[in-house]
Amino acid sequence: MRTLSLLSQLAFLSLLTYVSSKSSARTISLHNVLQAVSSVSSQPPLSLESSKLPPSPPFFLPRGGPRGGYASSQTPSQTSSSGSSDDETPRSDSLNEPSLSSQLDSDIDSQVSPTSSDALEDDEETTDVTDKEEFFSDNVDMKKMSNKLAPRNSVHFSRKFVHFSTGLTMAGLYQLVPKNIFIGVGTFCSVGLCTVEVLRYKKGFRWLNRIFYKCFGGVLRKHEMDGKFTGTFYYFAGVTVTAYLFPPSAAVLGIAQLAIADPTASYFGRKTKDVYWSRIEGGMGGLGRNKGILGFLGGAAMCIPFNYALLRAAVWSGPRPTTAVLLVASTLVGMAGAFADLAVPTPTLSVPKNAKVLGVKIPPFHIDDNFVVPIFTAFAVLRIFEIMALPGLKLAPKIIW
């Protein structure tokens, strides 16, 4: 009986010990919870900026980091100084939100200072002004420009094409436009071109050479940017004088020989420059210097088909000439045009540099085949028709189209 009483006492003590241990553990846990709640409630309310979620964790954890969950966003120095993560203090809102003064400064700067696009536009305008000032300055290296152009003895196909097409176009227009209008427009163009040619070598106007070089560099030659006038002025002047001095039929044939005989004779002359017997080195009294007989014959031969087509389509005032007569006349007219080109020496005869008349400096004029060929050929046409006793004629109104 005493043993049973002793066992019951031991069981009661064990139960009491167990209950007391549980209650103390619960008391400790409740104490910790209350302490955490009080610490959170004592903190200031979080702003919207500070309530943002932390950045996403890296794809992998650093070696030696905690297993499971996110890796700590603290740097090693922050971890060592703060101890455990439970004692970490929240970051100040001043680190996440800009101060009021900094916001005001940024607003003022954005309103006062120009934007990047405005700055770029200002830079572009400044560059454009600088380029314009440079373009219209007299600092023009004429020697450098002329060295980049083709020399006189080059084939220069682009120049020959422009020469050919311009001449035929003028001949065709002269058949469609009244004579007085054609001469008036030609005179205006000739005077205007002469003025520009004189000015582009004067101080204050040398920037005109940049326009010449940029627009017509593909058809200019070296000597035309080295103190001489371009062939364009002589071309318009020769066509205008021819139209003024001679009847329309003779003038049109003269302009046509300029368009065909001049470039083709030059081409055949360049291709046969190694044929010794064909070359006219010193010229005949200065005429034909540095040109060739084969070039002359080639230029004349290329004119014959065109001349024959014009004469055959013409309206004659008397009996129509036979085919043989038309072929002879076409050949003679072509030879006249080629001879006029042959007669102009290379290099051309020009006015001496700094030559003056009555104290006035003479522009650098020279004898140019673009001026000589149409005038000489138109004069030859009248003499050929007179010698062959050909009746008067009127060329077809549309010699090209």
Side-chain angles (χ1 to χ4, degrees), residues 104-117:
L104 291 175
D105 292 340
S106 62
D107 292 340
I108 294 174
D109 292 339
S110 63
Q111 294 177 2
V112 175
S113 61
T115 60
S116 58
S117 60

Side-chain angles (χ1 to χ4, degrees), residues 223-245:
H223 70 277
E224 293 174 329
M225 295 293 287
D226 193 18
K228 296 289 194 302
F229 285 4
T230 62
T232 307
F233 159 68
Y234 296 103
Y235 205 109
F236 276 86
V239 169
T240 304
V241 172
T242 303
Y244 176 77
L245 294 178

Side-chain angles (χ1 to χ4, degrees), residues 325-337:
V325 172
L326 292 180
L327 284 174
V328 172
S330 301
T331 303
L332 293 177
V333 172
M335 293 181 68

